[in-house]
Amino acid sequence: MVFSQRLSIIYFVFTFAIIFVASAADPRQFPFTTFSEKTDQSIFHFTPHSSIDQGALQLTPDSENAEVSYSNKSGRIMYHKPYRLWSSDNEDDDGVASFNSTFLINIYREKDWIAGEGFAFLIASDWNMPEQSYGQWLGLTNATTDGNAKNHMVAIEFDTRKQDFDPDDNHIGLNINSVRSSKTVSLEAFDIEISPEVGTNYTVWVQYNGSSKVIEVYMAKRIINIPPVRPETPLMKEPVNLKQYLKQDSYFGFSGSTGSRAKQLNCVLEWNLVVQEFKTRKNMTLLKIGVPALVLLVVFGVILGVGYVKKRKRTTLEESIVLGTLKRLPGMPREFKYKELKDATNNFHASMILGQGGFGVVYRGTLRDFDEANATNESAEIAVKQFSRDNIKGKDDFMAELTIIHRLRHKNLVRLVGWCYEKGKLLLVYDFMPNGSVDRHLYKASNQNTLNWEHRCKILAGVASALHYLQNEYDQKVVHRDLKASNILLDSEFNARLGDFGLARALEQERNSYAELELAGVAGTLGYVAPECFHTRKATPESDVFSFGAVVLEIVCGKSPGIQIIHGQHQFSLVDWVWMLHREGCIEEAVDERLNSNYALDEAKKLLLLGLACSHPIASERPQTQAICQIISGTMSVPSVPPFKPVFTWPSMGTAYSSTDSTVSNVTLSRITVSLP
Ligand SMILES: *[C@@H]1O[C@H](CO)[C@@H](O)[C@H](O)[C@H]1NC(C)=O
Ligand SMILES: *[C@@H]1O[C@H](CO)[C@@H](O)[C@H](O)[C@H]1NC(C)=O
Ligand SMILES: *[C@@H]1O[C@H](CO)[C@@H](O)[C@H](O)[C@H]1NC(C)=O
Ligand SMILES: *[C@@H]1O[C@H](CO)[C@@H](O)[C@H](O)[C@H]1NC(C)=O
Ligand SMILES: *[C@@H]1O[C@H](CO)[C@@H](O)[C@H](O)[C@H]1NC(C)=O
């Protein structure tokens, strides 16, 4: 009896501790007065053509990416966490959460563009966007899904293009599961043009009263330096019971689209969202008891819990498993105290953020008295990766990364210095890389500061060597699964260090049938993912080689593999563009023009051909890492690449790499040079 009481008190204490930690760990929250590509990537879900650029959410391609076509695009950006829209405790109470959302939009178009197609504020059951939702579908629906109640979607559209079911090309509408609005309001009478010739910012207020179940939309031109004031009367005021259409937990965000001839930039510059919170009954009661009671509870919990905690040192089973696994790992690097890392990163201050990925935030830090053994007073620069708490899989990613990277030793891999698992927080500590990541140099630096040719060659040789080590020299094959320019870091001498092993998996030699492993929902970035992965959803050593090929082309051309290149009448992906230039006998035209001919022509041609060979659509035809290293070092001749890109076939006939027999790899090795006639 006493025991179970203690247990339940401990449970409450922990629940509160977890709620507290979870809310404190949220890095950025509403309101957003600007958006940062550095820190906000994981706060939103992006569809392929959407991004953060120039401090704004860009639903469709923006002017920064001039090589991307503006036409026929759609995109969605959703806040990463869903909101609970009604309480599940009380079935009879049909109240819905009230919310207020205010945002600043700029639906820009150039003077000779016809505006289109439109933009929408969206509440939806998930953050996926249907295919072919460009043009009139506004990134909301497509020809198949339009009108389907299973869309579970309510949106306010800002329509800039007239369809036959629209009143005009400048209206707002209430869209329920469809682009055919259940209510529209033309804006001409209000002297508002959504996408005028002269770029204009509009503040929009969308307010929902969950008891009267009425949605209201207000809009006002935003004049710079004058704070926005909501107009007295709404443009639209419509009853809508969200409970009837939406899921209980729904996402908030935006969508937008362009058409074939009609195009515009769909930008959100600021966003605030306040959703009324539904508390569960338990929480309600506890809140009524108030803070003093909570403090008492904690004190009692501690007093009563002491005996229990003494018996079982580890507080949760989960924690003990993690710690046990960590401590058993041979050659495990140093364990850090949470406080050391907190001090090193200036209390995880926002100014110390180096970057942010799907797995958490990376901070820069300085450790003092680092070398304890020699008792020197030197300080060391470190990078601390903090796994985010609301990523449920965070722990698995942490374990995967730790168990793999702690045993890898190679001069072109980022070195793991240590780890920390304390108070439910997972942290990994790496050497700090003063020159940041490769993509930063390729795209963010000014033209003069871009990587010079020697650096580019050195980086590629380093990455090839690291890849070869992972696939062959280490006692288990390791697939990195997320090889891309942003995961290649540079030390003070511009040596490449491959990092971010969050997705990496070790392939066990003796279990060939497991040689291919799940690629979590094809997590990789577009352009780096091998075509077969979209069918198998599995990463292999060959798909890492494909990603390497994309990196080679990217570094030599200075262009991202994800972009579309317009050449004459046609649009090409980066690899198709290089292949076309190769066919036309002028492959050197692909070399980054910012190098101004300051590069070795033969070497550049060699690397481009190697990049194409690695981009072979058929996995078994791609060179293996040993050949790649030899080609780069010049001890093996350049592969001959056919003038036309071979066709991707599925299922692939090849079986290379599924066996680990060394004779097989020799055979495959010799086949590469002749396999691309
Ligand atoms: C929304 O704003 C109105 C005032 O414009 C306010 O009365 C209401 O409480 C707000 N609702 C929420 C959920 O914050
Ligand atoms: C609409 O989207 C769904 C889901 O992505 C897709 O299955 C369907 O083929 C699409 N319809 C059209 C006409 O593209
Ligand atoms: C729109 O807002 C942005 C961000 O506040 C500002 O930089 C820009 O100058 C504004 N544009 C106009 C036309 O007011
Ligand atoms: C919401 O609607 C209810 C019922 O009509 C009303 O009493 C309440 O004042 C409204 N709330 C706001 C913030 O307008
Ligand atoms: C846009 O898509 C339509 C078909 O949906 C097609 O007819 C048109 O050529 C495309 N336009 C561009 C510029 O790609």
Side-chain angles (χ1 to χ4, degrees), residues 30-32 35 44 57 77 79 83 97-105 119-123 156 158 202-209 214-219 230 251-254 268 270-276:
F30 289 106
F32 292 93
F35 298 92
F44 302 96
L57 300 179
I77 300 178
Y79 187 64
Y83 283 89
S98 297
F99 68 82
N100 284 343
S101 185
T102 309
F103 46 91
L104 184 67
I105 55 174
F119 163 87
F121 169 72
L122 169 66
I123 314 170
I156 301 293
F158 298 77
Y202 286 102
T203 308
V204 179
W205 292 261
V206 178
Q207 303 195 332
Y208 185 68
N209 181 335
V214 170
I215 199 162
E216 295 177 342
V217 183
Y218 303 79
M219 213 168 153
R230 200 201 70 182
Y251 293 87
F252 284 73
F254 303 95
V268 178
E270 297 174 7
W271 186 20
N272 192 16
L273 174 67
V274 180
V275 182
Q276 183 192 342

Side-chain angles (χ1 to χ4, degrees), residues 363-579:
Y363 295 88
R364 179 182 183 155
T366 309
L367 283 176
R368 308 205 192 283
D369 305 327
F370 179 53
D371 198 350
E372 284 166 307
N374 299 326
T376 54
N377 248 341
E378 275 174 43
S379 59
E381 294 282 288
I382 51 168
V384 181
K385 179 160 163 182
Q386 181 170 42
F387 286 75
S388 56
R389 277 215 56 109
D390 42 0
N391 181 351
I392 331 147
K393 287 172 65 200
K395 189 164 58 48
D396 294 344
D397 297 327
F398 175 82
M399 292 303 293
E401 178 149 7
L402 196 53
T403 48
I404 290 171
I405 199 176
H406 92 279
R407 296 176 65 188
L408 302 174
R409 299 275 184 277
H410 189 271
K411 65 181 193 323
N412 294 112
L413 297 178
V414 170
R415 191 174 70 100
L416 181 68
V417 179
W419 58 281
C420 167
Y421 183 81
E422 216 178 285
K423 300 176 188 156
K425 285 200 170 70
L426 310 167
L427 301 126
L428 291 182
V429 182
Y430 302 91
D431 276 339
F432 173 68
M433 292 290 123
N435 275 316
S437 58
V438 165
D439 62 327
R440 208 189 77 196
H441 290 272
L442 287 180
Y443 309 119
K444 296 283 129 74
S446 65
N447 285 358
Q448 294 78 25
N449 291 336
T450 189
L451 293 167
N452 69 30
W453 182 247
E454 285 67 37
H455 285 155
R456 291 185 201 217
C457 292
K458 183 153 97 169
I459 291 164
L460 288 175
V463 177
S465 165
L467 203 56
H468 183 61
Y469 170 78
L470 293 178
Q471 296 194 358
N472 301 280
E473 290 174 14
Y474 178 58
D475 60 0
Q476 286 179 309
K477 279 185 197 304
V478 173
V479 280
H480 185 279
R481 312 206 295 172
D482 200 19
L483 180 56
K484 56 183 175 189
S486 56
N487 284 340
I488 301 169
L489 301 168
L490 299 173
D491 68 12
S492 55
E493 274 140 20
F494 287 87
N495 291 302
R497 301 282 199 104
L498 191 50
D500 206 340
F501 282 77
L503 283 176
R505 292 288 183 276
L507 306 182
E508 290 178 39
Q509 296 275 23
E510 60 277 15
R511 285 160 68 197
N512 283 334
S513 53
Y514 284 81
E516 294 178 322
L517 282 152
E518 285 292 314
L519 183 67
V522 189
T525 312
L526 219 67
Y528 295 99
V529 180
E532 70 272 12
C533 293
F534 292 100
H535 297 261
T536 62
R537 306 192 86 78
K538 281 171 179 159
T540 58
E542 295 91 340
S543 64
D544 269 358
V545 166
F546 182 93
S547 308
F548 175 74
V551 168
V552 172
L553 298 180
E554 174 167 24
I555 291 180
V556 176
C557 305
K559 291 183 170 61
S560 161
I563 64 163
Q564 297 286 313
I565 297 164
I566 298 174
H567 188 100
Q569 298 288 326
H570 301 281
Q571 238 189 62
F572 294 93
S573 67
L574 178 61
V575 53
D576 289 342
W577 179 64
V578 177
W579 219 303

Side-chain angles (χ1 to χ4, degrees), residues 271-288:
W271 186 20
N272 192 16
L273 174 67
V274 180
V275 182
Q276 183 192 342
E277 267 182 63
F278 277 105
K279 305 209 165 45
T280 62
R281 283 206 171 156
K282 243 179 266 159
N283 281 351
M284 286 286 232
T285 337
L286 278 172
L287 280 179
K288 274 184 200 140

Side-chain angles (χ1 to χ4, degrees), residues 352 356 460 622:
M352 304 296 273
Q356 190 155 23
L460 288 175
R622 290 171 205 145

Side-chain angles (χ1 to χ4, degrees), residues 340-361:
E340 283 178 273
L341 300 181
K342 194 173 140 187
D343 292 345
T345 55
N346 193 5
N347 203 2
F348 298 102
H349 195 265
S351 63
M352 304 296 273
I353 292 178
L354 286 170
Q356 190 155 23
F359 304 108
V361 189

